[in-house]
Amino acid sequence: MGRGWVFHQDNDPKHACKLVKKWFQIKKVSIVKRPAQSPDLSHIQQLQDEDPNQLIRASALRVLSSIRVAMIAPIMMLAIKESVRDMSPYVRKVAAHAIPKLYALDPDQKGELVDAIDFLLADKTTLVIGSAVYAFEEICPERIDLIHKHYRKLCQVMADVDEWGQVMIINLMTRYARTQFTDPNLGEMDSEKEETFFSSDEESDDEGDSDDSAKKRKAQQKKKKEKESKPKPYLMDPDLRMLLKNTKPLLQSRNSSVVLAVAQLYYHLAPRNEISVIAKALVRLLRGHREVQSVVLMNIATISAKKRNMFEPFLKSFFIRSSDPTHIKLLKLEVLTNLATQTNIQMILREFQTYVYTHDKELTVAAIEAIGRCAVNIKEVTDVCLSGLVALMASKNEIVVAQSVVVIKRLLQIQPSAHKDIIMSMTKLIDTVKVPGARASIVWLIGEYCQTVPLIAPDVLRKMAKTFVQEEDVVKLQILNMAVKLLLTNREQSLPLVQYVFQLAKYDQSYDLRDRARFLRNLVMPQQENRLTQFAAKMFLTPKPAPVLESTFKDRDQFQLGTLSHYLNQRCAGYSDLPHFPEVAPDGKVRDVAGFGIPVPNEKSSAPQAASAASTRHSSKKSKKAETFYSDDESEGEKESEEASSGSESSSEEEESEESEEGSEESDDEEEEESSAESSEEDEDEDDEEEESSEEEPPKKPPPKSATSKKERKVEPTNKPSLDLLLDLDFGAPSGGNSSAQPPLSTGPTLLPSAAGSVSSAPKAPTLSKSYEVIHTAPAQFVPKRSSELLNKVAGQGLSVDYRFTRSPSLFSNKMCAIELRFENHSAIPFESIKLVDKKLPVGLSVSGFDDSVALAPGKSVSVMLGVDFADTTQDAVLSVEVSQSDESGPRRLTLTIQAPVGEQLEPVLLSQQQFKAEQSKLSGLNETSGKFKSSIAIDDVKAIVAKVYDLANVIQVEGIDSADKICFSGRTLSNKALLLITFSKTGEELKLAVNCEKMVIGSMLFKHIKQSLAV
Amino acid sequence: MLNSLFILNTSGDVILEKHWKSVIHRSICDYFFDAQKRASSPEDVPPVISTPHHYLVSVYHNQVYFVAVTTLEAPPLMVIEFLHRVVDTFKEYFDECSDSSIKDNYVIVFELLDEMLDNGFPLATESNILQELIKPPNFFRNISNQVTGKTNVSETLPTGQLSNIPWRRAGVKYTNNESYFDVVEEIDAIIDKQGSTVFSEIQGYIDCCCKLSGMPDLTMTFMNPRLLDDVSFHPCVRFKRWENERLLSFVPPDGNFRLLSYHIGSQSMVAIPMYVRHSIVLKDGTGGKIDLTVGPKQSMGKILEDVIVEVPMPKSVQNCNLSASQGKYSFDPTTKVLTWDVGKIELGKPPTLRGSVSVNTTAGAGSVEQPTINVRFKINQLAVSGLKVNRLDMYGEKYKPFKGVKYLTKAGRFQIRT
């Protein structure tokens, strides 16, 4: 029985009896019920409503939508409308696939279909999004406005969508970004010209083949540039930065089409200095199937015609093997020619020489042609190439000879005078060469330069006149040409010959030739007075411009890379041009959606992920709050189900992790280290919540609802295998318009690649919570008042900046170190705005806060809070602050370098004496740094030592240590939450200090700090 | 994306046609046959052909062309990639993807194509999902299907499609849990007349065979992960962890799959494990002489195995009369390929192939081109780049799996110019 078959219940008693019904159920036969009362109801819709299995609902929809009968279009519309709101994401995916089918059947439904697409785009499961974008591209690619509010979500989930969906999304994003952001290379126009100084012809062609609008744009840009004395530095829109950042890992995809899609995105959108990342990935694709090679090489050829230095390091990858198919060989040759520069030309020419002698005729011809192009483009090697080509003329292979003659002809046009001997030797070839193209070239050459070789030219004409009848048309035409030129320069010697040739041409078979002969005869040997005759010399003997030898891939640039149109170099049906960047970027606010805050540029690694998770959590809380304010029953119910689902999922995760823990107990230590090195979204989240509820009033108090949901989470452990859970869940009903407010990955994709952080540390979550569940952070015991100078008022031209560690929990993330920045205006002019513009952070660090600009009146000071996650390192956070004063001086940039001593990267935690001992015993060995020294403070003065330690590090003294001559402190690092313990003990006259910390570096540095300040 | 798919063979028959949208008449293939006639070899047919109303995107594999027809703009590489995925799936189902294997399994082929594409857009391309939907044919199942009249369409529902890890099917159970990893490296090189290396690079991949129950979560670490700077991963690999910690963490698909492939570019030096000394003199009319010697070089103490030397001779060569000191040689007069199967190269006297060649006098008055030499070899238990797997850990399941890693170095496109 075929799957996808749907049977119709005829309500025959033997089919409707219990036994048979049960059998249907067991055998998973899909049955369309026939309602007893109203048989005219749509059967399919019933099926959709009633079948409990999502796969059957999906199959039914697939079957229904594949029926190409226009009559059922309304039913299909109903089914689609129903299914896009289905609980199962798989059904929604199938619904997305059904939309183009219905559109093909009945384009009038477009309006409603677009609504459905809009709804599907808001979906948060990765299964659906790829298909939704596919439907969007098929039906309404022009409705770019629908994308605004999903832009950030699409960027973020891109890595988890299936590969075909990724291609669709990337292509959509390319178009979208072209309409929404300004050209990232605007500010660098000048530098570009410098960059390509050795190929000025390229530059001019550039302008030549770009169309009118581009020219206008350039003109406008130039005007603009003139207006502004200083070109404004380009600040990349954070949204564009996010897109680039999120697509970059996809270059590592195994699917070549994804890689190429990302490559074209970078080519069309990225700033010039970032494009080169795609080169390596594209070169990797060259190892693929020949079809892939062909498409990729075509794209590389286009890119390399414009941006040659990108592929220069990979030059050797384009060397030709004899086993390559011919069209690949030709493409590689094209790329090699594009890549030729002064430095590598020797190597390339050597390669070309070997290609000339292969048994592939086409390659031979193309290689000689390529040598000619190199000779033209690179002036230094013109002579070398020319002599090489002349040597080739002596070859036995006729094709080689013919082609080199043709190429030499072109080269000679560029510098004819110096090469009399070459022309002579070519004249000799006229007896041997048979290929008409080559013969024509020789004849033309002699005619053109008959003055340089006055002795041989008439002789050649004599020879050619002899064989005129047997020649091909091209050659005959050139003979006529030469005859005329000779007549004009050397009338007495050549007149009879010329007349003879004209006579022959008069009776030639080709009408073109007869025409030409008649025209020429009347022009140069007029029967009656002809005014044109006196101009004949001017007509025929003007110096001809040298032909430009250039890449045939220049004009392909008008098409978007990677498209069919680009490959075929013709406008295909359904191709739409990539829009040009707008002059002024449209307002980016349209992309602001609750839950997707403006991404922090330059953020990297996992730390900001947690931060963003935290922020999304906040916003989702906010939205929940809003819901309870204006709640109606429906949304209430939905929310419940969502919470239940997320709760049970997270419990499933815990489950899973517990299992794994048992499986690998001996590697516990390692794990703990790893887990601390990583930040997992999930358990961070929980940590957060616990902390917030236990601490004194956090600024955003979680609504009571979340507390209960948390309880639910804990109460709900189930023993089902995790995958079952995933399947049986209702995946969170899509909750209308505001569903985008939820974090995109909230459905707990436990095993998605991008959610690596959460997965990898999931197994360790229980160990963490076990050991730390009773650990509470304490408020700072001592807040040092001293502040350090960040910027001198002289250096800052009136603005001074101080910073101070407040030792309070940061508002932005619990991994961040709270820093108070104090700006003071010492000048007489008010500062209009001071704002943070750029953060150059080492990997792993992140900064939040100070998002708004502040103004500063003279003599006043202002403080702002900043959260910096130093990732438990002593790396500097370098921030750029842009200040503008109200005088004309314009905005200035100041660089601030913040460094946190290790002591400030801690937070105090309360430990009991037993806990302290237990933890200390765990952190022995390498994790312990200890030493003895003579103290500058009296050993017995406990208070002084405590004060000193408090001053240095944000830790807390452990209460109730039994031995009198021990002082213990506890704390943990902010970023990785690694426990840190300090122990002082008396040994004779000396003080023994031991610092235990998993992060050995932190431990040893703190040890050094304390020792320095305490030792004599 | 795809309107129709035609499967053709090299002799110009349409083996199979399938339409997802409206039917496009098979006469569209005439454009393709024209292009095929013009091409000198089947490999040379351009992958994308434009016709007045349609665009043909084709893929060639083992004497079979897969020609996809599209009417609108579509990323050509996406179509090509998809067609290769179809080929791979057929290979997995029928062991080989050829004219006869498709003809033998029409029903399954249609079933597969139905599931892989929906309305011309890829739907389920992961082999794990497909195998859940449609069981691969085997001898016993064929017989029982004949008897009982069943088809290969699976009766259980394909739950894999619903999960977030589409590459792994649910409920996998094995009695012996084992996972094997093959680290294979292929050396691509061009060596010039004088024996110096013009270009060399390594193309490596790790192929896995995982037969593990449940949902194992594997972590693989390398001794020297720095070697891998140009990698592409199976979608199961968690990219963030690779970026941060340089280890591979993944939930493997069930069965055979390629975990990652990497590329060590021409910038780094690659040890060339063998040399070929050659003197090939082909003279018009008088015949010619061939003298080939192969031997190991920098092979790191390992033995070269399965060494095969191939010389595609020019068309004018009629016959070869040679003698090999080791192995066998053959000359195919139709394809003009001289093949010398050397076998294992032991230390000691290097194997040689000597003799004379008869060249046709009439063919072309010009010179006879020098052929290039292609070499194939294998070195077991060696990854020439020095890549080594450090350890493999499994989380998420309780049993202890059997783990094995094998290294292999092969010649890829190894070419010697003469």
Side-chain angles (χ1 to χ4, degrees):
Chain A
M1 211 174 320
R3 210 178 31 74
W5 283 69
V6 178
F7 291 87
H8 198 187
Q9 174 66 275
D10 57 359
N11 284 343
D12 187 288
K14 65 177 173 291
H15 292 150
C17 72
K18 257 189 185 165
L19 186 74
V20 175
K21 269 186 174 171
K22 199 172 174 190
W23 185 85
F24 284 147
Q25 221 170 18
I26 292 167
K27 291 286 174 186
K28 302 253 169 42
V29 180
S30 47
I31 300 284
V32 181
K33 287 182 192 126
R34 172 177 293 220
Q37 300 303 316
S38 49
D40 55 336
L41 273 182
S42 158
H43 301 136
I44 300 294
Q45 209 182 338
Q46 285 217 339
L47 181 83
Q48 303 248 323
D49 286 344
E50 289 180 22
D51 201 292
N53 192 315
Q54 45 180 341
L55 286 160
I56 292 184
R57 286 201 304 269
S59 293
L61 181 61
R62 247 186 98 185
V63 170
L64 173 68
S65 61
S66 298
I67 304 171
R68 275 191 296 267
V69 180
M71 273 228 303
I72 64 157
I75 303 175
M76 245 197 242
M77 189 67 228
L78 277 176
I80 288 175
K81 270 188 186 166
E82 195 73 26
S83 309
V84 294
R85 285 173 172 74
D86 199 283
M87 294 214 292
S88 148
Y90 183 62
V91 177
R92 298 203 294 274
K93 182 190 171 83
V94 173
H97 279 279
I99 290 173
K101 295 187 210 171
L102 175 54
Y103 181 64
L105 203 61
D106 184 7
D108 297 340
Q109 308 262 22
K110 185 172 172 177
E112 279 180 88
L113 289 177
V114 171
D115 290 343
I117 291 173
D118 190 23
F119 185 84
L120 284 171
L121 282 174
D123 206 292
K124 52 195 195 295
T125 43
T126 50
L127 202 60
V128 185
I129 287 170
S131 305
V133 172
Y134 157 67
F136 176 88
E137 290 282 64
E138 289 280 305
I139 291 173
C140 50
E142 73 285 351
R143 289 288 305 276
I144 247 4
D145 57 300
L146 291 181
I147 301 300
H148 289 317
K149 54 182 186 288
H150 309 303
Y151 174 81
R152 286 179 191 151
K153 179 188 70 180
L154 286 176
C155 284
Q156 281 172 6
V157 301
M158 201 159 348
D160 301 331
V161 178
D162 67 320
E163 38 204 10
W164 315 111
Q166 278 171 354
V167 179
M168 284 289 153
I169 295 180
I170 294 169
N171 283 333
L172 168 68
M173 284 310 186
T174 313
R175 268 190 307 121
Y176 178 83
R178 272 292 185 120
T179 59
Q180 298 299 318
F181 307 117
T182 50
D183 190 345
N185 292 321
L186 265 187
E188 296 165 34
M189 277 313 211
D190 298 345
S191 61
E192 171 208 22
K193 271 186 187 144
E194 282 161 30
E195 200 178 65
T196 54
F197 66 97
F198 45 80
S199 54
S200 52
D201 52 330
E202 205 170 290
E203 198 56 39
S204 61
D205 297 334
D206 226 354
E207 265 153 331
D209 59 21
S210 56
D211 48 354
D212 285 354
S213 64
K215 261 187 194 167
K216 261 183 224 162
R217 215 157 47 91
K218 264 186 190 164
Q220 276 171 343
Q221 283 160 14
K222 268 178 197 160
K223 258 185 225 164
K224 244 192 189 171
K225 235 184 261 169
E226 281 157 22
K227 259 186 230 167
E228 299 168 354
S229 51
K230 261 192 201 164
K232 211 173 104 192
Y234 172 77
L235 274 178
M236 190 184 274
D237 193 297
D239 283 326
L240 179 56
R241 168 59 56 213
M242 178 160 101
L243 175 64
L244 293 176
K245 201 191 86 196
N246 280 304
T247 46
K248 201 172 164 191
L250 297 183
L251 284 173
Q252 239 92 39
S253 172
R254 67 165 170 173
N255 189 323
S256 58
S257 57
V258 176
V259 177
L260 187 64
V262 178
Q264 64 88 19
L265 181 127
Y266 263 74
Y267 178 75
H268 290 297
L269 293 180
R272 193 158 281 119
N273 50 356
E274 288 174 42
I275 295 181
S276 48
V277 295
I278 63 175
K280 204 176 9 169
L282 285 180
V283 169
R284 189 183 62 230
L285 294 186
L286 293 182
R287 249 318 286 256
H289 300 281
R290 95 187 152 95
E291 295 87 2
V292 176
Q293 278 184 44
S294 163
V295 176
V296 172
L297 278 171
M298 196 72 93
N299 285 294
I300 291 180
T302 310
I303 299 175
S304 64
K306 282 268 144 85
K307 297 185 168 59
R308 95 156 46 102
N309 32 17
M310 225 169 98
F311 286 99
E312 254 188 276
F314 305 101
L315 185 73
K316 286 184 170 176
S317 306
F318 301 106
F319 283 0
I320 295 170
R321 292 164 213 285
S322 59
S323 49
D324 289 330
T326 307
H327 65 275
I328 302 249
K329 284 181 186 165
L330 297 182
L331 280 168
K332 280 187 172 173
L333 200 64
E334 176 70 41
V335 175
L336 282 176
T337 320
N338 284 341
L339 292 180
T341 60
Q342 278 162 288
T343 45
N344 57 23
I345 185 70
Q346 295 303 337
M347 187 166 46
I348 290 181
L349 282 181
R350 214 176 308 132
E351 275 295 305
F352 284 173
Q353 242 155 13
T354 53
Y355 302 155
V356 170
Y357 295 107
T358 56
H359 44 245
D360 192 332
K361 302 277 179 292
E362 276 182 72
L363 181 64
T364 309
V365 171
I368 297 173
E369 176 96 40
I371 294 177
R373 256 180 68 196
C374 289
V376 175
N377 290 338
I378 299 160
K379 303 278 177 288
E380 285 77 7
V381 292
T382 310
D383 289 330
V384 182
C385 291
L386 204 53
S387 55
L389 287 170
V390 171
L392 285 180
M393 284 198 306
S395 156
K396 281 186 206 157
N397 193 329
E398 188 163 75
I399 300 166
V400 175
V401 178
Q403 184 62 24
S404 42
V405 166
V406 174
V407 173
I408 289 174
K409 176 202 131 196
R410 285 193 212 145
L411 284 179
L412 286 184
Q413 274 180 278
I414 294 163
Q415 33 181 198
S417 54
H419 299 293
K420 194 179 163 188
D421 48 334
I422 295 178
I423 298 177
M424 306 269 271
S425 62
M426 286 175 81
T427 322
K428 283 176 200 146
L429 281 174
I430 201 93
D431 300 328
T432 49
V433 173
K434 297 270 181 338
V435 181
R439 286 180 81 87
S441 295
I442 298 177
V443 174
W444 183 88
L445 207 59
I446 295 166
E448 183 68 29
Y449 303 113
C450 52
Q451 281 136 315
T452 25
V453 282
L455 290 179
I456 1 179
D459 202 41
V460 172
L461 185 62
R462 181 186 59 80
K463 273 191 192 167
M464 296 315 290
K466 230 197 240 170
T467 55
F468 188 84
V469 188
Q470 289 99 44
E471 299 290 349
E472 289 275 328
D473 279 1
V474 257
V475 188
K476 284 178 181 168
L477 283 174
Q478 292 310 328
I479 296 173
L480 280 183
N481 251 340
M482 179 168 81
V484 172
K485 283 172 191 165
L486 267 177
L487 191 71
L488 290 170
T489 52
N490 191 355
R491 196 177 175 93
E492 58 273 26
Q493 264 193 318
S494 54
L495 187 63
L497 269 175
V498 174
Q499 275 170 337
Y500 174 64
V501 169
F502 275 135
Q503 205 64 31
L504 284 175
K506 195 174 174 182
Y507 300 105
D508 198 86
Q509 280 194 321
S510 157
Y511 65 84
D512 190 22
L513 204 69
R514 295 196 302 269
D515 262 7
R516 188 78 68 96
R518 194 176 308 130
F519 159 69
L520 291 174
R521 185 202 290 268
N522 282 326
L523 197 62
V524 290
M525 299 186 291
Q527 309 296 327
Q528 70 256 37
E529 197 47 45
N530 190 337
R531 283 175 67 195
L532 274 175
T533 311
Q534 48 190 318
F535 297 111
K538 215 172 181 184
M539 280 163 144
F540 290 103
L541 296 175
T542 43
K544 319 275 186 299
V548 182
L549 299 178
E550 60 166 23
S551 164
T552 47
F553 283 81
K554 278 264 153 71
D555 54 333
R556 275 183 205 248
D557 204 37
Q558 57 177 313
F559 297 111
Q560 187 179 351
L561 285 189
T563 58
L564 197 60
S565 307
H566 173 263
Y567 186 88
L568 294 168
N569 200 13
Q570 68 177 57
R571 193 162 285 273
C572 295
Y575 175 78
S576 56
D577 274 317
L578 198 60
H580 288 293
F581 283 111
E583 286 283 307
V584 180
D587 193 5
K589 291 255 165 39
V590 286
R591 289 185 291 276
D592 286 342
V593 183
F596 289 93
I598 296 228
V600 184
N602 288 343
E603 65 181 10
K604 263 190 181 169
S605 85
S606 52
Q609 209 179 15
S612 72
S615 75
T616 49
R617 193 169 46 82
H618 278 310
S619 54
S620 67
K621 263 184 204 165
K622 260 186 252 164
S623 70
K624 273 180 194 168
K625 218 179 200 172
E627 266 175 15
T628 44
F629 280 143
Y630 317 106
S631 70
D632 50 27
D633 298 351
E634 214 180 313
S635 71
E636 189 75 34
E638 272 170 7
K639 192 179 61 198
E640 289 273 275
S641 71
E642 256 160 49
E643 267 168 14
S645 74
S646 68
S648 50
E649 254 167 52
S650 75
S651 75
S652 78
E653 214 166 84
E654 277 170 17
E655 259 263 327
E656 210 177 74
S657 56
E658 236 146 34
E659 276 174 24
S660 75
E661 194 208 356
E662 284 166 17
S664 57
E665 220 141 38
E666 68 271 37
S667 56
D668 241 359
D669 286 11
E670 259 177 49
E671 275 181 18
E672 241 171 334
E673 215 171 279
E674 274 177 61
S675 71
S676 60
E678 266 174 33
S679 62
S680 88
E681 289 178 352
E682 287 292 320
D683 61 86
E684 264 328 308
D685 255 19
E686 264 171 52
D687 266 8
D688 258 8
E689 275 176 43
E690 273 169 40
E691 270 158 37
E692 276 178 28
S693 49
S694 66
E695 272 169 23
E696 73 281 68
E697 294 307 336
K700 281 169 196 152
K701 197 179 175 181
K705 187 81 194 163
S706 83
T708 57
S709 78
K710 207 170 67 198
K711 261 178 217 157
E712 277 169 19
R713 259 188 223 190
K714 288 197 172 138
V715 174
E716 218 179 23
T718 42
N719 289 326
K720 282 188 190 174
S722 56
L723 194 79
D724 276 7
L725 266 177
L726 275 176
L727 293 178
D728 292 348
L729 278 178
D730 56 5
F731 286 85
S735 54
N738 59 4
S739 64
S740 59
Q742 272 103 31
L745 300 170
S746 67
T747 35
T750 42
L751 298 155
L752 291 182
S754 81
S758 74
V759 182
S760 47
S761 58
K764 297 110 201 176
T767 46
L768 251 189
S769 57
K770 225 181 267 168
S771 56
Y772 290 132
E773 62 197 348
V774 279
I775 294 179
H776 294 290
T777 52
Q781 298 302 298
F782 171 77
V783 181
K785 287 285 177 286
R786 65 163 185 276
S787 58
S788 328
E789 188 169 69
L790 207 51
L791 187 73
N792 196 291
K793 70 179 174 189
V794 182
Q797 298 178 14
L799 182 77
S800 73
V801 189
D802 294 342
Y803 73 108
R804 190 170 75 87
F805 295 95
T806 60
R807 291 194 176 178
S808 55
S810 172
L811 296 177
F812 307 102
S813 155
N814 66 340
K815 298 171 88 181
M816 289 192 171
C817 190
I819 298 172
E820 186 188 45
L821 287 183
R822 201 165 136 272
F823 295 87
E824 190 164 3
N825 188 353
H826 297 277
S827 70
I829 313 156
F831 285 91
E832 277 181 341
S833 78
I834 302 172
K835 62 177 185 235
L836 192 59
V837 285
D838 196 9
K839 303 162 188 172
K840 285 200 192 68
L841 299 174
V843 182
L845 269 60
S846 62
V847 171
S848 355
F850 197 16
D851 294 320
D852 308 321
S853 64
V854 291
L856 198 55
K860 292 275 164 55
S861 69
V862 66
S863 299
V864 289
M865 290 305 292
L866 199 64
V868 183
D869 181 2
F870 286 98
D872 294 350
T873 59
T874 46
Q875 284 165 307
D876 296 350
V878 181
L879 309 176
S880 276
V881 172
E882 194 177 84
V883 295
S884 49
Q885 243 164 333
S886 53
D887 59 346
E888 293 76 49
S889 57
R892 282 179 287 133
R893 281 212 175 191
L894 303 171
T895 310
L896 309 178
T897 309
I898 302 179
Q899 192 183 30
V902 271
E904 301 298 343
Q905 294 182 34
L906 302 174
E907 58 184 336
V909 289
L910 290 170
L911 287 184
S912 72
Q913 183 206 339
Q914 287 84 8
Q915 277 174 327
F916 185 89
K917 276 193 178 154
E919 293 295 346
Q920 195 175 26
S921 61
K922 278 187 208 163
L923 293 170
S924 58
L926 273 178
N927 292 329
E928 185 176 85
T929 320
S930 62
K932 289 178 195 169
F933 52 86
K934 280 210 165 125
S935 166
S936 56
I937 310 171
I939 294 176
D940 297 330
D941 191 354
V942 176
K943 268 190 187 163
I945 293 176
V946 171
K948 202 79 182 172
V949 171
Y950 278 171
D951 189 45
L952 282 171
N954 189 12
V955 289
I956 188 167
Q957 191 181 359
V958 179
E959 301 291 342
I961 295 292
D962 43 13
S963 97
D965 31 9
K966 254 192 177 174
I967 318 169
C968 301
F969 299 89
S970 58
R972 67 176 177 192
T973 61
L974 275 168
S975 186
N976 289 326
K977 308 293 179 209
L979 214 55
L980 181 137
L981 311 168
I982 305 170
T983 319
F984 284 102
S985 50
K986 264 192 286 188
T987 50
E989 285 307 300
E990 287 183 324
L991 199 59
K992 186 181 177 225
L993 168 64
V995 180
N996 306 61
C997 184
E998 253 171 51
K999 292 259 153 191
M1000 287 180 276
V1001 184
I1002 297 279
S1004 66
M1005 283 177 77
L1006 191 67
F1007 175 81
K1008 238 191 323 192
H1009 276 258
I1010 298 177
K1011 192 179 161 186
Q1012 264 170 11
S1013 67
L1014 278 177
V1016 184
Chain B
M1 203 175 83
L2 262 70
N3 282 44
S4 305
L5 175 72
F6 295 92
I7 303 182
L8 320 172
N9 61 14
T10 36
S11 48
D13 307 318
V14 179
I15 308 176
L16 180 147
E17 59 182 296
K18 168 120 184 87
H19 307 279
W20 281 274
K21 292 171 188 172
S22 53
V23 174
I24 294 168
H25 194 260
R26 59 164 69 181
S27 62
I28 193 80
C29 295
D30 293 347
Y31 290 102
F32 183 81
F33 292 134
D34 285 348
Q36 195 194 346
K37 257 177 229 143
R38 256 178 277 131
S40 51
S41 73
E43 294 259 294
D44 244 348
V45 181
V48 182
I49 299 167
S50 163
T51 75
H53 299 288
H54 302 90
Y55 305 100
L56 309 180
V57 183
S58 65
V59 152
Y60 174 71
H61 176 85
N62 194 10
Q63 311 295 320
V64 179
Y65 290 103
F66 290 74
V67 184
V69 185
T70 148
T71 51
L72 294 173
E73 168 74 47
L77 202 51
M78 188 164 158
V79 180
I80 289 170
E81 184 74 31
F82 174 78
L83 292 178
H84 276 298
R85 209 55 75 77
V86 172
V87 172
D88 291 343
T89 312
F90 286 177
K91 267 197 272 185
E92 207 162 312
Y93 269 75
F94 319 130
D95 292 330
E96 53 152 17
C97 174
S98 67
D99 192 358
S100 58
S101 75
I102 292 174
K103 280 179 181 162
D104 289 345
N105 297 289
Y106 269 131
V107 176
I108 297 181
V109 167
F110 271 107
E111 282 168 353
L112 281 173
L113 288 176
D114 249 335
E115 289 302 330
M116 291 181 85
L117 279 178
D118 181 27
N119 196 30
F121 190 77
L123 186 68
T125 48
E126 284 295 337
S127 81
N128 263 276
I129 293 185
L130 287 171
Q131 287 185 2
E132 236 181 341
L133 285 166
I134 301 150
K135 294 236 166 64
N138 63 26
F139 184 69
F140 287 112
R141 200 171 294 132
N142 281 348
I143 290 179
S144 69
N145 286 351
Q146 287 291 320
V147 175
T148 56
K150 277 186 193 159
T151 66
N152 272 331
V153 173
S154 150
E155 306 227 326
T156 54
L157 287 164
T159 45
Q161 248 166 330
L162 307 173
S163 81
N164 280 318
I165 40 165
W167 57 83
R168 189 174 178 87
R169 61 197 173 90
V172 188
K173 272 224 165 67
Y174 290 102
T175 44
N176 290 331
N177 289 298
E178 46 193 17
S179 59
Y180 297 101
F181 295 83
D182 289 1
V183 181
V184 183
E185 296 194 338
E186 290 183 356
I187 302 177
D188 290 0
I190 301 177
I191 291 168
D192 71 2
K193 227 179 274 184
Q194 284 77 33
S196 59
T197 312
V198 177
F199 154 81
S200 62
E201 61 182 19
I202 296 171
Q203 182 70 33
Y205 40 87
I206 301 184
D207 280 341
C208 310
C209 176
C210 278
K211 293 184 172 172
L212 300 172
S213 318
M215 270 290 164
D217 195 334
L218 301 180
T219 308
M220 183 188 258
T221 52
F222 295 101
M223 302 283 262
N224 34 13
R226 267 158 203 272
L227 280 172
L228 309 175
D229 72 335
D230 189 10
V231 233
S232 68
F233 297 114
H234 190 271
C236 68
V237 177
R238 299 186 181 104
F239 186 69
K240 283 242 167 69
R241 284 199 79 181
W242 170 255
E243 280 232 304
N244 296 335
E245 300 164 58
R246 293 276 145 183
L247 52 81
L248 294 175
S249 156
F250 56 98
V251 175
D254 187 39
N256 295 318
F257 66 103
R258 178 159 296 180
L259 180 63
L260 88 164
S261 51
Y262 56 93
H263 176 246
I264 296 174
S266 49
Q267 287 92 341
S268 49
M269 283 305 293
V270 177
I272 304 293
M274 73 174 296
Y275 69 87
V276 177
R277 244 180 270 135
H278 54 82
S279 104
I280 300 177
V281 186
L282 299 174
K283 265 196 206 126
D284 200 16
T286 56
K289 279 204 173 81
I290 289 186
D291 185 350
L292 294 176
T293 312
V294 294
K297 183 174 97 178
Q298 293 179 305
S299 63
M300 299 168 198
K302 303 278 200 255
I303 295 170
L304 288 164
E305 289 171 67
D306 296 352
V307 180
I308 295 171
V309 179
E310 276 179 350
V311 190
M313 290 291 185
K315 294 271 180 299
S316 52
V317 171
Q318 276 185 323
N319 210 353
C320 297
N321 193 4
L322 310 167
S323 68
S325 72
Q326 184 188 333
K328 277 185 285 185
Y329 87 93
S330 63
F331 179 73
D332 185 344
T334 50
T335 56
K336 309 276 182 198
V337 178
L338 170 70
T339 315
W340 177 25
D341 190 342
V342 185
K344 217 182 259 185
I345 299 184
E346 307 277 2
L347 289 172
K349 214 172 169 229
T352 55
L353 180 73
R354 286 205 184 96
S356 61
V357 183
S358 62
V359 184
N360 195 353
T361 40
T362 53
S367 66
V368 182
E369 311 91 347
Q370 290 287 329
T372 52
I373 303 171
N374 296 318
V375 182
R376 278 181 280 159
F377 57 82
K378 232 159 74 176
I379 305 172
N380 276 320
Q381 292 310 318
L382 174 76
V384 79
S385 67
L387 187 78
K388 268 213 162 60
V389 175
N390 186 16
R391 58 181 294 173
L392 182 78
D393 300 308
M394 189 181 74
Y395 306 99
E397 295 290 335
K398 280 173 193 162
Y399 55 82
K400 284 250 183 272
F402 180 80
K403 301 174 275 198
V405 181
K406 201 171 88 183
Y407 299 92
L408 181 68
T409 298
K410 286 201 287 192
R413 299 165 182 171
F414 198 97
Q415 204 164 81
I416 295 151
R417 292 176 178 163
T418 58

